[in-house]
Amino acid sequence: MEQRDDVVVVGAGVVGLATALALLEDGRGVRVIEARRIGSGSSHGNCGTITPSHAPPLAAPGRVGEALRMMVRPDAPLYIRPRVDPRLWRWLWRFAGRCNLRDWEASARAKSLLLNDSRARLCEWIGRHGLDCEFAESGEDYVFRSPAAFERGQHELDLLRELGVDVEVIDGPAFDAQEPAVLPGTAGAIRFRGDAVLRPDRYVDELARVVRARGGRIDEECALQRLEDSTAGAALHTSAGILHAREVVVAAGAWSPNLARAIDAPWLAGAMQPGKGYSITYDPPPLVPRRPLVLRDWSVCVTSWPSGFRLGSTMEFSGFDERLRPRRLAALERAARASLREPAGPVVRERWCGWRPMSCDDVPIIGRLPGHRRTWLATGHGMMGVGMSAGTGQLVADLLAGRGPAVDPSAFDPGRLAG
Ligand SMILES: Cc1cc2nc3c(=O)[nH]c(=O)nc-3n(C[C@H](O)[C@H](O)[C@H](O)COP(=O)(O)OP(=O)(O)OC[C@H]3O[C@@H](n4cnc5c(N)ncnc54)[C@H](O)[C@@H]3O)c2cc1C
């Protein structure tokens, strides 16, 4: 008789592993299949901030003009490499259609629900499962060197306060006095006390450990190639043979649109793009910021943990171009030199790039695949997959169980982008 798994999760990044854990806690049997190695995608070298404060989406009023201006600057924080790519242009067209006040606010409200749920749930998981990942309830500071940027940066604060985000506006001299790691001359700062931080590669390893400890199985070097979804069950054709499952959750991050044909969801190809980002990780320098910083004039994030110090940023739409571009890495270092007393650590441990799974409305895609009985999607988490991971896992577990979920799932429904 053919062997059948209960649920197969495709992709072992933070979203797939958190989903596996929530399903196991719900009493389901879980196998995770991963094309490469556990945590080899975007979940590895990101900045690890947990940010209910980042609810407003990238698709914002004025963003299209900003992106067009930045197209002529290959070291800009937001860069679209001009090229003939119908999928990219379809994505950009839909993205541009969302860059208005009404959609911006609707997306922010939807993301906020998931971010807040996830922030609380993550804290609970850390304690209950003993996840050893340098988690700290640190808060986060946005730091501005330019007075005009400081002024602009306060435009979204009313909405954030309404969404329950704890916001404190700090003038430049007061911030300089509080944060000895920054160079004097700050125009102002915004502190989000409810944000947190963890070391993402350790979080991935810890999720994998707990998934296995609770009876889940993780198969590496096992790529989904084709999926057949029928009333009788799902058949997964993989690089390591055929698997059968009652249900399948596709959590393949930025690679999800590449599976559009394989999972019979052609619309997915035009609904997501890989958003490339870079990071440099050092051993910690002697003086590090008290909490994660976003250097807003350059959109560079600075994170430090007991085990490391990381600069990370940039959103580059250049497909899956694997090159580590020196110009981009230099832009991270330049921003740090302009803002920090100790802009680098004594030893560089890693220079990295990864691809964020960017949906065209910058809202995650979570729910049943339209027209299919047994296939579910958990992808499109963009710049906040770590911060949304625990809430996403629980939402998927609730949906599969047919329970009323803790978070209203309607804004995440894949059906909004299909067709
Ligand atoms: C520079 C940078 C900084 C960031 N900072 C933050 C931050 O501070 N906070 C935050 O919350 N987020 C941050 N992010 C975003 C975050 O990294 C992502 O949102 C998150 O990692 C997405 O997780 P995922 O599990 O969906 O995708 P991934 O981690 O990319 O995992 C997807 C997995 O699916 C596998 N896969 C693909 N195709 C197949 C297939 N056919 N079969 C089987 N497996 C497959 C891949 O190999 C991969 O391991 C940042 C990203 C970048 C690039």
Side-chain angles (χ1 to χ4, degrees), residues 100-119:
N100 61 75
L101 202 56
R102 194 183 47 128
D103 289 333
W104 173 79
E105 196 176 313
S107 296
R109 288 184 190 283
K111 290 175 73 179
S112 174
L113 290 177
L114 192 56
L115 282 163
N116 286 335
D117 176 84
S118 206
R119 166 76 176 82

Side-chain angles (χ1 to χ4, degrees), residues 10-17 33-51 140 222-225 251-256 259 275-279 301 303 312-314 352-357 378-388:
V10 180
V14 284
V15 174
L17 291 169
I33 63 168
E34 164 53 50
R36 297 176 296 168
R37 313 295 298 175
I38 292 168
S40 53
S42 188
S43 299
H44 174 77
N46 65 72
C47 298
T49 56
I50 312 298
T51 49
E140 184 180 41
C222 180
L224 177 69
Q225 294 169 334
W255 292 271
S256 305
L259 288 170
K276 187 177 179 186
Y278 293 75
S279 68
C301 183
T303 326
S313 178
T314 76
W352 175 85
C353 66
W355 292 274
R356 305 175 185 89
T379 185
H381 291 77
M383 299 182 281
M384 267 153 279
V386 181
M388 291 177 167

Side-chain angles (χ1 to χ4, degrees), residues 93-287:
W93 179 254
R94 298 175 85 176
F95 178 84
R98 301 282 304 184
C99 290
N100 61 75
L101 202 56
R102 194 183 47 128
D103 289 333
W104 173 79
E105 196 176 313
S107 296
R109 288 184 190 283
K111 290 175 73 179
S112 174
L113 290 177
L114 192 56
L115 282 163
N116 286 335
D117 176 84
S118 206
R119 166 76 176 82
R121 202 173 293 284
L122 180 63
C123 202
E124 199 248 314
W125 279 13
I126 300 267
R128 187 148 49 86
H129 299 296
L131 303 177
D132 181 8
C133 56
E134 303 181 54
F135 176 73
E137 300 199 275
S138 54
E140 184 180 41
D141 290 337
Y142 279 6
V143 185
F144 301 83
R145 308 287 295 180
S146 132
F150 183 39
E151 166 75 27
R152 277 196 307 278
Q154 295 177 57
H155 288 172
E156 62 189 32
L157 297 188
D158 285 345
L159 176 63
L160 287 177
R161 287 193 180 99
E162 198 194 311
L163 296 174
V165 175
D166 180 343
V167 177
E168 182 188 353
V169 177
I170 306 170
D171 67 39
F175 185 76
D176 286 347
Q178 287 175 28
E179 179 49 274
V182 298
L183 289 169
T186 304
I190 303 172
R191 177 159 302 157
F192 302 106
R193 277 187 287 252
D195 287 357
V197 67
L198 52 71
R199 174 122 192 180
D201 43 341
R202 300 218 167 153
Y203 176 51
V204 166
D205 290 347
E206 284 292 275
L207 285 175
R209 175 183 66 75
V210 178
V211 163
R212 286 183 170 130
R214 296 184 75 97
R217 173 173 174 171
I218 306 175
D219 296 346
E220 296 179 298
E221 311 286 343
C222 180
L224 177 69
Q225 294 169 334
R226 186 160 60 84
L227 177 64
E228 290 163 24
D229 173 323
S230 73
T231 41
L236 297 97
H237 298 255
T238 78
S239 54
I242 299 182
L243 298 172
H244 298 272
R246 195 185 306 272
E247 291 179 286
V248 178
V249 183
V250 177
W255 292 271
S256 305
N258 296 357
L259 288 170
R261 264 147 142 334
I263 63 173
D264 187 26
W267 57 269
L268 191 57
M272 287 178 66
Q273 275 290 313
K276 187 177 179 186
Y278 293 75
S279 68
I280 309 174
T281 307
Y282 309 82
D283 285 347
L287 180 62

